[in-house]
Amino acid sequence: MNAKTNMLRRLLTLALTLSLICALAAPALADGTENDASALTDGTDGTEDDWSLDEELRYWYNFELENTNILPDAAGNDPEGVEAIKRELMQGRAVTAAYCSDQSVPGQEQETDYINIDTWAHYTYGRDTTAITHLVCIVGWDDDYSRYLFDPNLTNEDGSFIAAYFDDEGELNEAGQAAANWDRIPDGDGAWIVKNSWGSATSEEPNNYDWGIDGYFYLSYYDTTICSEETYDFDISASEGEGLEIIIDEYDLMTAFAYFGPYASDYGADEIVMANVFTASDHQMLRTVGVITAEPDTTVAVQVYRLNADAEDSTDGTPLLETPATATFEYSGYHRVGLRDYGDEDEAFAVDAGERFSVVVRMSIEDDTYVSAGASNSIQWLDETEGINWYAVGVINEGESYVGEYDADAEDYVWTDWTELVLEEKAEDDEIEYDNLAIKAYSDPIYTITVGDAAHGAVTSDHSGAIAGAAVTLTVTPSAGYELASLTVTDGDVTVAATFVSSDDSSGSSGGGDDDSGSTTTTSTTTTTTTTTTTTTTGGFTDVSSDAYYADAVAWAVENGITIGTGEGTFSPDGGCTRAQIVTFLWRAAGSPEAAGGNPFTDVQADDDAYKAVCWAYENGITAGTDGDTFSPESVCTRAQIVTFLWRAAGQPTADGDPAFVDTARDAYYYDALRWAYGNGVTSGTGGDTFSPDGVCTRAQVVTFLWRAAGEA
């Protein structure tokens, strides 16, 4: 097959346009600093020949290129091209375009061969004698923009017309016709409204380098050099997922200046299709397929095969779609055909790490089919005298890309490795370099979900793995007498950890522990974006869920200045409450009074956070310390110690009746305090007729006790 002629007449500008965007844009960095290209070195100054960008200058976005439309040229007011640009603009897409500019880089001396700097109106005439020098962005149009505004001989410095040159109808009079430079005047009215493309490395937005009308200018419909008109769509559905991972299986990595599209008719075949065979790098779920069409109005049909272990061709396996996914694209360019929507799960598209799959693509137009691959200059085409001083190398390996020719007799495709066809092409013309077939497969990683074991309860997940954006249902089942205290979901491969606490602290019931016990099941739905769970929080604390049993108590404690948390937006509800913390809580609940006496404890210093609280607690008989002259501020309190602190702070009131707890004794030091706490609904025990006096009292339990003791429950 010799498809060189077809390739040359089917060149696309996609890669050229993308390269120009990268070369001309000088974006601000994520932290707002400027990107100074002069900081890079080519090694000529004696430094290493390292063109990599410093890490502090790097930035990234979560946008995926979804679609490009290569439009018909609008040069010379071509009706098809003009209407195509207007339609794209009406769809909300700005249009990139190249043309011959008087000034193509910032700081360059401003020529005025084609632009009228009085009006910032540009009209290039005589395309055969000009070169394409600049890439810009068309953002609007004005059909009535006067063609005379392009001629500087007819305008004042403020952009207005020279009145002496025009009659009452706005047309040139005899003097105006004599003054006019007719080369500078287009054949008709109308202009594109264009945003210039260079950045602001040394000047403020929006009027970069004091150029144009706040960086904008007019470009005549009749400009003879307008070309490479293209629009871009980006998939931003996942843009809020910080750290989002996307798996892209692809081989076509060569910089291409055009796309090579041999047709079935070039082969002498009735139909041809193309395929790439990939090996999954991870446990992943296929989402969409990207292709490059070489002709307008191309219909693309995609099928994906899970290949057999001993597969010998691209269709030797199980198709994942009942019927091929099909789409027709009005314009040539890069397009994607969806298999499923972002966040929607479909196990049919899940592949395991190391598993092989193929993407088979049929591209058709009218009565023919074709395939698409990138093309570029080879090293043999290098010609310094003609200004061609760059080349590319395509790296194509056997077993990656295939072309299938339909055999009507066998009712099947005969597959040929793309490397064989490329070798044939290069044998006839070694000035062209070829890439793999232009097929990309986009997948979402499937994150493993691991649920850890928990004491006093269980958590189950309806998924063993999930993609970003999927809903995962976690079912929480506490043991009798316990309730969920916290549920933590970590990033990366998901790990779920649950903590359960006794149901003593889950309600304000004054009944026995059994009032709050029993097995309950709660279902929580988690939306995984970057596998991070977001829950509604209380008191400004990220670790206090609004549905936690202690949420109201924490909110009350924050509102009344009793707690400010443990730092960095956390309350640490499951942390044990220390002796310093409980006296601080009690002191703040009492209004933070000043103590008249001094500090008898050697392990409490005047600059300690709890100093005033400890002095007040000692003075009011709430604590006498732990051993002579020590207070042990960092010791974690038991449940018995906490109810004793609370009882003493309440004035050691008497209480009638005895709590029915089997793990407490009448002669215990805390028993009078427990009788008061039980009788006033401060605690109902830990379930099963127990109080657990020696159990650690958490910060969540302490503020719940305080809240109830204050009569706020």
Side-chain angles (χ1 to χ4, degrees), residues 253-321:
L253 302 176
M254 183 184 75
T255 299
F257 73 82
Y259 278 85
F260 168 55
Y263 276 54
S265 54
D266 299 330
Y267 281 88
D270 293 330
E271 178 183 315
I272 59 173
V273 296
M274 62 180 183
N276 276 357
V277 173
F278 299 112
T279 301
S281 60
D282 205 341
H283 191 200
Q284 60 197 67
M285 188 174 291
L286 294 163
R287 173 157 47 95
T288 191
V289 170
V291 298
I292 292 178
T293 60
E295 294 282 4
D297 298 316
T298 293
T299 297
V300 178
V302 174
Q303 181 60 275
V304 181
Y305 291 85
R306 190 187 308 276
L307 295 178
N308 298 329
D310 56 351
E312 296 182 356
D313 61 52
S314 302
T315 56
D316 190 0
T318 304
L320 303 189
L321 294 158

Side-chain angles (χ1 to χ4, degrees), residues 481-504:
Y482 289 85
E483 288 204 5
L484 179 69
S486 66
L487 188 66
T488 304
V489 181
T490 62
D491 287 340
D493 281 334
V494 183
T495 302
V496 180
T499 303
F500 296 90
V501 295
S502 67
S503 55
D504 165 52

Side-chain angles (χ1 to χ4, degrees), residues 13-27 96-99 104-105 132-136 197-199 227-230 232 255-256:
T13 57
L14 172 64
L16 172 63
T17 305
L18 287 172
S19 298
L20 284 170
I21 288 175
C22 295
L24 295 175
T96 62
Y99 74 110
S104 58
V105 293
I132 304 303
T133 61
H134 198 33
L135 187 74
V136 291
S197 63
W198 56 61
C227 62
S228 302
E229 299 94 327
E230 191 168 355
Y232 302 85
T255 299

Side-chain angles (χ1 to χ4, degrees), residues 541-544 550 554 563 565-567 569-573 585 699-700 703:
F541 299 127
T542 59
D543 56 354
V544 180
Y550 49 82
V554 172
T563 182
T566 52
T570 60
F571 175 68
S572 305
F585 288 158
R699 288 169 53 84
V703 294

